[in-house]
């Protein structure tokens, strides 16, 4: 029997075993409930499950999840972020917060591991939506507000002086990347050109490494 995993249902979870996993699909056998013994296939990991497919979580015990319109995201354990105290904050939940229907688009992007651009008028709920999803799943977030004061060294890092000579201090972007934090680039339309050029470079590098990974896998 394959690895134990949990498949979301409308009410909770079905315990399943993963029989086979390829780059195009995962084959499962259901181990509990009314469908016990049935085999099913679902899309591969990292593909948004959306309205059509349940989500699958590989774990010995049933995971906690945040659910919205057929989608779900696993609630993270604080122990998954050993450097939490130095770099980012866990976001407090606002109660009540209304997760409007477009939340599902953001969740699909999160599952796919995509960068997301939210645009709209002031106060429509762009920043709070990201932060409130993070709050519900225990995802640490670094938030930078481009109010004209953010410098390249705030973002990338700077050389400082330590006991043994010069040291490199990571800025917000490498801190987020090294630790698995989200980074919210608030009011990015007010960022200076030298800051925007860094993001363009990062996106090029990420695209390059993604295409190298695909080539290496295929
Ligand atoms: N769906 C919502 N439910 C509850 N409060 C909300 C919602 N959307 C926005 N708010 C509140 O409205 C205020 C402005 O939202 P914010 O996310 O900062 O807007 P934006 O980033 O688009 O300018 C915040 O205090 C936020 O908590
Ligand atoms: Mg905002």
């Amino acid at each position: 029997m394959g690895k134990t995993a949990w498949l979301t249902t409308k009410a909770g979870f079905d315990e399943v075993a993963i029989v086979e996993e390829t780059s195009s699909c995962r084959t499962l056998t259901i181990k509990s409930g009314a469908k016990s013994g049935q085999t099913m296939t679902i899309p591969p990991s990292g593909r948004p499950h959306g309205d059509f497919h349940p989500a699958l979580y590989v774990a010995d015990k049933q995971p906690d999840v945040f659910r919205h319109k057929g989608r779900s995201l696993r609630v993270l354990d604080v122990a998954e972020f050993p450097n939490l105290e130095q770099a980012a904050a866990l976001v407090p939940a606002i109660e009540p917060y209304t997760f409007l229907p477009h939340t599902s688009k953001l969740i699909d992007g999160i599952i796919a591991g995509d960068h997301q651009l939210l645009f709209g008028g002031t106060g429509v709920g762009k920043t709070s939506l990201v932060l409130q999803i993070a709050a519900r799943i225990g995802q640490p977030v670094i938030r930078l507000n481009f109010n004209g004061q953010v410098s390249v060294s705030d973002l990338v890092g700077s050389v400082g002086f330590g006991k043994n000579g010069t040291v490199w201090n990571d800025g917000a972007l490498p801190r987020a990347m090294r630790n698995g934090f989200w980074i919210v680039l608030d009011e990015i339309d007010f960022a200076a050109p030298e800051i925007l050029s860094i993001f363009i470079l990062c996106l090029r590098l990420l695209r390059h490494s993604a295409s190298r990974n695909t080539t290496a896998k295929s």
Side-chain angles (χ1 to χ4, degrees):
M1 222 7 125
K3 274 185 282 185
T4 298
W6 302 88
L7 196 67
T8 52
T9 60
K10 275 197 179 138
F13 291 94
D14 276 336
E15 189 180 349
V16 301
I18 304 176
V19 180
E20 195 184 11
E21 205 164 356
T22 69
S23 57
S24 56
C25 74
R26 289 173 290 181
T27 308
L28 322 167
T29 306
I30 299 178
K31 294 195 338 190
S32 63
K35 294 186 192 160
S36 180
Q38 283 184 19
T39 296
M40 66 185 289
T41 55
I42 61 165
S45 153
R47 185 86 56 82
H49 36 274
D51 296 326
F52 305 109
H53 293 284
L56 184 74
Y57 298 96
V58 180
D60 293 333
K61 281 197 222 136
Q62 264 189 36
D64 286 334
V65 293
F66 166 67
R67 291 180 182 240
H68 177 84
K69 289 181 124 253
R71 280 98 171 142
S72 64
L73 291 171
R74 184 171 68 86
V75 175
L76 306 168
D77 185 340
V78 77
E80 294 174 45
F81 301 98
N83 296 325
L84 192 57
E85 74 294 341
Q86 333 166 348
L90 287 170
V91 183
I94 297 174
E95 299 285 2
Y97 187 84
T98 312
F99 288 94
L100 295 165
H102 60 260
T103 303
S104 53
K105 292 191 179 160
L106 200 62
I107 294 179
D108 283 348
I110 294 166
I111 293 166
D114 287 339
H115 310 287
Q116 318 242 6
L117 177 66
L118 277 70
F119 60 94
T122 306
V124 296
K126 302 179 295 296
T127 306
S128 60
L129 177 57
V130 176
L131 296 181
Q132 288 311 302
I133 293 175
R136 296 318 194 265
I137 64 168
Q139 169 66 53
V141 179
I142 296 179
R143 183 176 169 188
L144 273 184
N145 196 300
F146 290 94
N147 51 14
Q149 307 295 314
V150 177
S151 65
V152 169
S153 54
D154 292 330
L155 188 69
V156 177
S158 55
V159 175
F161 296 98
K163 270 189 242 152
N164 303 319
T166 53
V167 285
W168 174 256
N169 297 314
D170 275 347
L173 189 59
R175 279 208 316 268
M177 292 171 82
R178 283 190 217 285
N179 294 302
F181 303 150
W182 290 356
I183 186 163
V184 172
L185 309 169
D186 227 347
E187 319 286 352
I188 196 169
D189 42 350
F190 295 121
E194 65 267 24
I195 299 252
L196 291 175
S197 67
I198 293 166
F199 292 123
I200 293 166
L201 180 68
C202 284
L203 286 175
R204 281 214 190 110
L205 287 171
L206 285 171
R207 220 167 278 151
H208 178 67
S209 79
S211 71
R212 266 202 342 212
N213 287 345
T214 321
T215 320
K217 274 188 209 154
S218 58

